[in-house]
Amino acid sequence: MLSNKSKRTMTIFLFLAPALLFLVIFLAYPFVINIIDSFFKSDGFLQSEYIGLDNYRRLFKDPTIGTAVKNTYEIMFYVCLFEVGIALILAILVDNIKKGQHFFRTVYFFPIVISATAIGMMFKLFYAYDIGLLNSFMTMLGLEKQVWVTAESAVKMVAIPIVWQYVGFYFIILLTAIKQIPRDLYESAYLEGINGFTKTIYITLPLIKGVIITCLVYAINGVMKIFDLVLILTEGGPLNQSMVLGLYMYKKAFADNAFGYAATISLLIIVLGLATITIVSKVFKREQITY
Amino acid sequence: MSKKKKIGIERKSFNIGMLFTYIVLYAFSITTIYPLIWVGQNSFKTSNDLIESSFTLPTSFMWDNFKNAITKINIFQGYANSLIISGTVVIVVIFFSALAAYILARFEFKGNKIIRSFILASMLVPVFATILPVFKILANVGLIDTHVGVILPQIAGNIPFAVILLTSFMETVPNELEEAAKVEGANVWKIFSKIFVPITKPALATSAIFTFLWSYNDLFTSLIIIRNPEKFPVNRLLTEISSQYGTDYGLLCAVIILIIGPVLSVYMIGQKQIVEGMTAGAVKG
């Protein structure tokens, strides 16, 4: 006979075990192994040889890593500015209207559900030279057709679909935050003669500051995970000019069979992500104290 | 009196501002809707018609691109594979996550907080940081090039979000219901299945829809694990097509429509739940 207490412990264990088992086997354990692997030279995964910090030295000398890191931060800049920025403007505007809120919520949000694969293919068509949507517009306006994805423009052309896809996501989060602001705050401000644009600057924005920072953190986190869109749209080209870290890791692992080096790149992705998020949260916190 | 007057003034200036607001909002909605319409109308044209004009509506509905897509690749097989993979992932994720969430939300015990933080942290780990060792594990047990090999890591990847979302819903279930059932002698399983599952149905549905979308849209895992085209899910199958027939634009448009068709239908059906669930999950996370 089991005592009540051990029965309870048993239930807790049995209910939690399946989910936790999956997380340990497929997330936690591989995460640790990945760190260990970064100290080995492995071709494929049959043989491996301990090489200390060689993979890390290679990382610092690799010019493509330099390009990928630079691109990651460039995309991060566009994403924070346009993705979250446009979302904020749209949320403030939608909060002000009486009719059609549901329509805009539905329409702005839907690109989220489309796979990055399909979006990559769509934008490849939009950028295409002979039939692309952009060049069709150029012809319609009587302008010259253009080659849209060049070595100089590649990063921007990759950032556009990312922004396009995620504006709706941040729009929904920010709109929810704005809706949670107590209405009487606006009413008393209105009686004091504060209205329209000033109202937004002095009441709405300070009150949703925390949520805006959360959005920035999500956006930064999202940029570190970019992969399939770039794979389909440009494959990192031309001349590696739109290479991102995830795609480069994938290529090193599965095209060049350099597993150990790929493991090192994936660590770099995590470290950069965490460092950037920490800095962003710190900077905004300090500002909040002076405010 | 004076208040009434002010409101009157407000309404007047409101109209111009409102008009401007609506113009901006509708203009932006065109940027999300029109690209899809463009792809949709061009999926019915030949490449030659397309080069002449990609803006006009198709003059006659030409199904050749869709027929081509279906015969050149076995798209039905692709849908079937997607359904097997995503269906299994959804069922397992929801069942295991609901069990775990019920314990985390309703039982106080040592380690509850630690497990919650562990789950939250595992949501932040990018797939790149785990995929190489996961690939090795799967290779060691002979699961490369199988559906199970894609299903297992996808389950692990989707559990954190589902557990977090479900835990926050199960925490809001009133205590009285549980107490009453206990008094009547119901065991933990009965309380879970007869009270918590029915009450949290909307949250279960939201988690299920999201798990399905993420699993169906995932390219990375299948790209690495599956080699045999007959086992490709839709996404992966169509990626092959787009690299093989990169110049047949009409075909490519049809292919894009075929990939996003199922997710758009899911969105249309569950959009209220999706939009609200996303907010609940995101704000909590």
Side-chain angles (χ1 to χ4, degrees), chain B residues 94-132:
Chain B
I94 297 310
F95 182 55
F96 287 172
S97 300
L99 286 176
Y102 170 57
I103 297 293
L104 291 175
R106 288 290 161 167
F107 285 69
E108 268 176 42
F109 62 96
K110 257 191 200 163
N112 188 322
K113 274 222 174 94
I114 299 169
I115 292 175
R116 281 180 191 228
S117 326
F118 169 66
I119 292 173
L120 198 62
S122 51
M123 197 158 84
L124 300 175
V125 175
V127 64
F128 309 120
T130 52
I131 195 71
L132 298 174

Side-chain angles (χ1 to χ4, degrees), chain B residues 18-217:
Chain B
M18 270 301 173
L19 185 68
F20 178 71
T21 305
Y22 275 107
I23 289 173
V24 173
L25 291 176
Y26 277 114
F28 191 79
S29 64
I30 289 171
T31 68
T32 65
I33 299 173
Y34 186 72
L36 273 196
I37 295 176
W38 186 83
V39 172
Q41 76 191 18
N42 289 329
S43 67
F44 293 104
K45 293 181 194 165
T46 65
S47 277
N48 279 340
D49 287 349
L50 241 166
I51 291 169
E52 269 168 34
S53 168
S54 66
F55 288 127
T56 49
L57 286 172
T59 43
S60 62
F61 275 94
M62 193 194 77
W63 291 96
D64 290 14
N65 291 325
F66 289 94
K67 271 187 214 145
N68 252 336
I70 288 164
T71 49
K72 276 192 179 134
I73 56 166
N74 193 347
I75 192 144
F76 293 117
Q77 182 71 51
Y79 282 131
N81 293 334
S82 280
L83 204 64
I84 291 169
I85 294 171
S86 304
T88 316
V89 171
V90 168
I91 291 167
V92 177
V93 165
I94 297 310
F95 182 55
F96 287 172
S97 300
L99 286 176
Y102 170 57
I103 297 293
L104 291 175
R106 288 290 161 167
F107 285 69
E108 268 176 42
F109 62 96
K110 257 191 200 163
N112 188 322
K113 274 222 174 94
I114 299 169
I115 292 175
R116 281 180 191 228
S117 326
F118 169 66
I119 292 173
L120 198 62
S122 51
M123 197 158 84
L124 300 175
V125 175
V127 64
F128 309 120
T130 52
I131 195 71
L132 298 174
V134 164
F135 181 80
K136 279 198 235 175
I137 296 171
L138 294 173
N140 283 334
V141 291
L143 287 176
I144 297 299
D145 205 15
T146 65
H147 285 154
V148 180
V150 179
I151 289 169
L152 294 177
Q154 279 197 359
I155 291 174
N158 280 295
I159 280 179
F161 176 79
V163 171
I164 291 166
L165 190 81
L166 292 173
T167 306
S168 66
F169 270 82
M170 292 201 179
E171 272 170 345
T172 62
V173 174
N175 252 332
E176 291 77 19
L177 281 170
E178 210 178 347
E179 296 299 326
K182 268 187 199 155
V183 169
E184 304 219 339
N187 61 24
V188 183
W189 173 254
K190 269 227 165 100
I191 295 174
F192 169 74
S193 60
K194 295 270 155 40
I195 297 177
F196 279 86
V197 170
I199 288 184
T200 52
K201 241 185 205 158
L204 291 172
T206 305
S207 322
I209 292 170
F210 273 108
T211 306
F212 173 80
L213 287 175
W214 282 329
S215 166
Y216 179 89
N217 285 340

Side-chain angles (χ1 to χ4, degrees), chain A residues 104-251:
Chain A
F104 291 119
R105 283 163 58 124
T106 311
V107 167
Y108 292 168
F109 190 75
F110 92 86
I112 296 288
V113 303
I114 304 174
S115 63
T117 317
I119 288 183
M121 289 165 74
M122 267 170 71
F123 276 78
K124 214 174 172 176
L125 282 178
F126 298 160
Y127 298 157
Y129 186 79
D130 22 353
I131 61 110
L133 181 62
L134 292 184
N135 273 345
S136 299
F137 269 122
M138 298 299 271
T139 324
M140 201 171 74
L141 299 172
L143 296 165
E144 286 273 300
K145 283 182 177 179
Q146 275 196 32
V147 178
W148 291 94
V149 184
T150 62
E152 289 78 40
S153 71
V155 186
K156 292 182 190 68
M157 300 319 269
V158 163
I160 292 171
I162 297 169
V163 171
W164 182 79
Q165 180 170 23
Y166 285 100
V167 163
F169 174 69
Y170 298 104
F171 160 78
I172 292 289
I173 295 180
L174 291 167
L175 183 63
T176 313
I178 294 174
K179 291 237 174 280
Q180 279 163 359
I181 297 173
R183 289 290 122 172
D184 44 337
L185 268 177
Y186 287 128
E187 270 160 37
S188 54
Y190 171 71
L191 291 178
E192 310 242 334
I194 300 171
N195 220 333
F197 192 59
T198 4
K199 179 188 83 179
T200 305
I201 298 283
Y202 289 105
I203 302 174
T204 316
L205 288 183
L207 285 174
I208 60 165
K209 196 175 169 188
V211 182
I212 296 176
I213 295 168
T214 310
C215 287
L216 292 177
V217 169
Y218 276 126
I220 291 168
N221 198 32
V223 171
M224 303 311 294
K225 293 182 185 167
I226 292 170
F227 168 78
D228 16 16
L229 185 112
V230 184
L231 174 75
I232 306 294
L233 192 56
T234 63
E235 275 191 70
L239 304 166
N240 280 340
Q241 285 308 305
S242 61
M243 187 56 81
V244 290
L245 288 166
L247 180 60
Y248 192 52
M249 188 226 91
Y250 167 79
K251 285 192 166 173

